[in-house]
Amino acid sequence: MQNLFTRRFALSLAMAAVLAGCSKSEAPAAAASGTPAASADKVMVVATNAAFAPFESLSSSGEVEGFDADVIKAVANKAGFQIRFVNTPWEGIFNTLNSGESDLVMSAVTITDVRKDSMDFSEPYFDAVQLIAVPQNSTVASLEDIKTLAIGVQNGTTGDEVVSKLVGKTNPNIKRFESMPLALKELEAGGLQAVVGDNGVVKHYLQNNSGSKFKLVSDQSFTPERYGIVVKKGNAELLKKVNDGLSGIRQDGSYDTIYTKWFGAPEAAPAAAASAPVAEAASSAASAASN
């Protein structure tokens, strides 16, 4: 009996030692997964709709390039975080923030009060304005003149909002496209009589499609717009990093260098403005593509 008791006691001690060993090995692993170092090394995913040259488009090798791409790269470098671009359809691009698929949206996004309700914006980094593209022989001279025409817009953009306000959101004369180049191609083919879109994208298309016989019409009713970098509502930590990075690249001249690369030297340095470049300086070269 004593030998049996001794063997059972020894076996109990051995099992206790094994269990103690397991708990020691598991606890550090759980702690390590939540260390600050892990989050600090996170690569921030930047959702962008790469169909807005010269702001964002895909290179021949499939890489995201453009003014916005260079700006966010410089901001991330200055603020001390890494980024990875994901080319994302414009429709639903902001949903990727709440779903966790992206950390930032950088896609020539116009800052609006409505959008501020559901997302947070950085300080403005660019000014823009809408333009009307029409055939060269068109008599259109103002926004009012296109009310009865077949009008192309990019779905969900501020151009879409302008035209919807003019003729009604469900008006069959509005033709919505996934990208501005598609709308302009349809105008070129004769399927539309006017296109309303952001000046940067429209001007860039004309500059790179010399056969396009369009003219551009401005209207005093068009409200100047500003672009911002978007983060999830309430992500104050990331927003501060982005704003610090923007401030840094303005101060060290990086912003001016990027601006000149894509639009030429501005009439007035865009960094001189308190929070965004001067609209007239932007429009002198190829200006802005706002969504």
Side-chain angles (χ1 to χ4, degrees), residues 23-140:
S23 64
K24 284 180 181 178
S25 66
E26 290 169 2
S33 66
T35 57
S39 60
D41 292 339
K42 178 185 176 183
V43 176
M44 299 296 173
V45 175
V46 180
T48 188
N49 181 213
F52 300 96
F55 285 84
E56 46 271 318
S57 59
L58 294 178
S59 68
S60 57
S61 61
E63 299 295 319
V64 176
E65 63 179 6
F67 176 78
D68 278 1
D70 284 354
V71 168
I72 193 61
K73 287 176 185 176
V75 165
N77 183 61
K78 183 65 69 173
F81 60 87
Q82 301 179 62
I83 61 170
R84 175 172 64 87
F85 292 106
V86 175
N87 188 14
T88 307
W90 177 254
E91 191 75 16
I93 194 171
F94 302 120
N95 293 336
T96 63
L97 292 170
N98 290 327
S99 68
E101 297 171 79
S102 71
D103 302 285
L104 300 160
V105 172
M106 180 70 162
S107 196
V109 182
T110 300
I111 301 170
T112 69
D113 289 338
V114 172
R115 287 173 176 169
K116 283 181 179 179
D117 288 339
S118 58
M119 61 194 81
D120 286 337
F121 283 92
S122 70
E123 290 296 314
Y125 70 91
F126 211 92
D127 286 6
V129 70
Q130 298 294 306
L131 284 178
I132 306 167
V134 293
Q136 284 184 344
N137 61 355
S138 173
T139 59
V140 167

Side-chain angles (χ1 to χ4, degrees), residues 204-205 249:
H204 185 267
Y205 182 90
I249 67 172

Side-chain angles (χ1 to χ4, degrees), residues 198-212:
D198 301 350
N199 54 339
V201 171
V202 174
K203 287 186 176 182
H204 185 267
Y205 182 90
L206 293 181
Q207 290 169 354
N208 289 274
N209 293 272
S210 57
S212 301

Side-chain angles (χ1 to χ4, degrees), residues 158-238:
T158 49
D160 188 353
E161 293 175 9
V162 166
V163 175
S164 295
K165 184 177 180 180
L166 177 70
V167 300
K169 189 175 181 64
T170 60
N171 192 305
N173 283 341
I174 304 177
K175 312 298 180 184
R176 295 180 171 90
F177 295 82
E178 292 183 3
S179 73
M180 185 52 56
L182 287 176
L184 291 168
K185 286 183 182 298
E186 184 66 13
L187 176 64
E188 189 173 355
L192 297 170
Q193 295 166 292
V195 167
V196 177
D198 301 350
N199 54 339
V201 171
V202 174
K203 287 186 176 182
H204 185 267
Y205 182 90
L206 293 181
Q207 290 169 354
N208 289 274
N209 293 272
S210 57
S212 301
K213 301 185 182 302
F214 304 151
K215 67 178 180 180
L216 302 180
V217 178
S218 184
D219 191 283
Q220 292 184 348
S221 68
F222 290 143
T223 303
E225 302 169 10
R226 284 179 164 180
Y227 302 157
I229 303 167
V230 190
V231 304
K232 184 178 179 180
K233 190 73 174 177
N235 193 343
E237 181 180 358
L238 180 55

